[in-house]
Amino acid sequence: MKHANHTPTRWTRADALKVNENDPTTTQPLVSPDFPVMSDTVFIWDTMPLRELDGTVVSVNGWSVIFTLTADRRPHDPQFINADGRYDIKRDWEDRHGHARICYWYSRTGKDWIFGGRVMAEGVSPTTREWAGTPILLNNNGDIDLYYTCVTPGATIAKVRGQVVTSDTGVTLQGFDQVKSLFDADGIYYQTEAQNSTWNFRDPSPFIDPKDGKLYMVFEGNVAGERGTHEVGPNEIGLVPPGHEDVGGARYQVGCIGIAVARDLNGDEWEILPPLVTAVGVNDQTERPHYVFQDDKYYLFTISHKFTYADGVTGPDGVYGFVSDHLFGPYTLMNASGLVLGNPPSQPFQTYSHCVMPNGLVTSFIDSVPTSGDDYRIGGTEAPTVRIVLKGDRSFVQEAYDYGYIPAMRDVVLSQ
């Protein structure tokens, strides 16, 4: 396969200086500290609604299905019991990534989720951790390709195929027993573990380009090169005002949104392409990138943290966006800065891992919400859903809904 090279769009330091954490049109409403919890036995965080390759969120025979990164709550594990004999949920929550597994939930209402259990049996995935990706309903036979990230050792983009089966009382999954590795970071466009021991390479999100009909995938990466060797030059700095020319240690932040193209619609063979967006000198993480196609435009969203910003620039935990008339850009930053929906300054860690759906609804999970003094309550559960409106290169928060409200946009009736 041969594809024309494209020039990545740069998210510059000047762009990041435009971030306004106090703009109500790009701020997520406050989450109450008395939020409900989906489960007393597991934590959930990154949420992956079942969808089709055009982004449509679907139900199956009337059942909505979501996949989540999941970890057991361990209230009886001695390592999480404090000297006073009480369970330390905060330490347990912070330890969750090391034993992350992908589980699924189902619902008749698009909320009030029922736990279905593991997607893959223990030992099926070739690495110790199952990290986020995207479940795709392929047809009305109920076949699903789950694209996800195999982590430790290494980080590999992979997929596993299975099938959804429904009844009057619930949903089960079958198959999901043969994992196919697709590709790793190449060291040419995307940084490898050998180049940086804390490299990022994960979160596959496949889609059909509505204009050329080909199968592509976006993912999180870091720009290739040995850690600390990247130059933060005039193109990365942008048009900054006086006093903002010093970039400090910004050369260590080299996040990017990567893209690959499949050989055919089966999605078994892929070619890695240059990044769509780079954030050299701005931010080190561009997690869970995904598209919304609207008004003949490509809306590209990603999530990032305040702590992954480079020296001299900052922004809230939340979702950031870029828009273009063409898949390969150039892209314009949403709201001039990129910020689409950030946490309020008074509750900077309340939600994360936002997923923007084509109907404008945005789901995320609750991380931690302040209670009294310096104390806070751990979430590990679905946050209230928020609706945003996209107008050209601007976005506006419109309203908030119930916790974990992820309604299907279309119901698929299976032929089985």
Side-chain angles (χ1 to χ4, degrees), residues 209-394:
D209 181 358
K211 294 185 179 179
D212 73 15
K214 294 179 181 179
L215 177 60
Y216 294 89
M217 176 199 301
V218 285
F219 52 87
E220 177 192 11
N222 290 144
V223 176
E226 296 291 330
R227 184 174 187 269
T229 64
H230 295 78
E231 179 183 354
V232 184
N235 289 330
E236 290 74 28
I237 295 173
L239 300 175
V240 297
H244 292 273
E245 299 89 353
D246 185 359
V247 302
R251 67 185 181 279
Y252 295 103
Q253 279 67 49
V254 293
C256 68
I257 298 175
I259 187 168
V261 60
R263 182 172 298 277
D264 54 39
L265 296 182
N266 291 324
D268 291 330
E269 297 181 50
W270 294 80
E271 176 188 352
I272 293 177
L273 303 176
L276 293 173
V277 175
T278 60
V280 174
V282 175
N283 205 309
D284 205 44
Q285 287 191 354
T286 50
E287 298 185 287
R288 294 197 68 193
H290 56 284
Y291 274 102
V292 167
F293 307 111
Q294 178 183 305
D295 301 327
D296 206 34
K297 295 183 182 297
Y298 295 80
Y299 286 93
L300 175 58
F301 298 101
T302 187
I303 55 173
S304 200
H305 289 287
K306 178 182 285 286
F307 79 87
T308 60
Y309 269 94
D311 288 351
V313 289
T314 189
D317 284 21
V319 61
Y320 294 78
F322 312 83
V323 61
S324 178
D325 293 327
H326 309 282
L327 174 60
F328 291 104
Y331 282 84
T332 298
L333 277 79
M334 293 293 293
N335 305 311
S337 68
L339 179 62
V340 171
L341 188 63
N343 283 333
S346 62
Q347 297 190 170
F349 308 113
Q350 67 170 13
T351 59
Y352 193 60
S353 198
H354 301 73
C355 175
V356 183
M357 294 169 276
N359 54 8
L361 298 186
V362 185
T363 185
S364 59
F365 75 88
I366 299 174
D367 187 330
S368 61
V369 177
T371 51
S372 60
D374 294 331
D375 203 6
Y376 56 92
R377 183 183 174 201
I378 292 296
T381 190
E382 296 287 351
T385 296
V386 176
R387 182 185 295 278
I388 63 173
V389 176
L390 304 174
K391 295 288 186 182
D393 62 358
R394 294 290 184 264

Side-chain angles (χ1 to χ4, degrees), residues 10-39:
R10 291 183 175 91
W11 183 10
T12 69
R13 293 176 64 82
D15 297 327
L17 288 173
K18 290 183 176 291
V19 170
N20 181 358
E21 297 187 52
N22 294 298
D23 180 351
T25 69
T26 56
T27 300
Q28 183 143 354
L30 289 169
V31 175
S32 172
D34 64 353
F35 56 81
V37 174
M38 289 170 58
S39 170

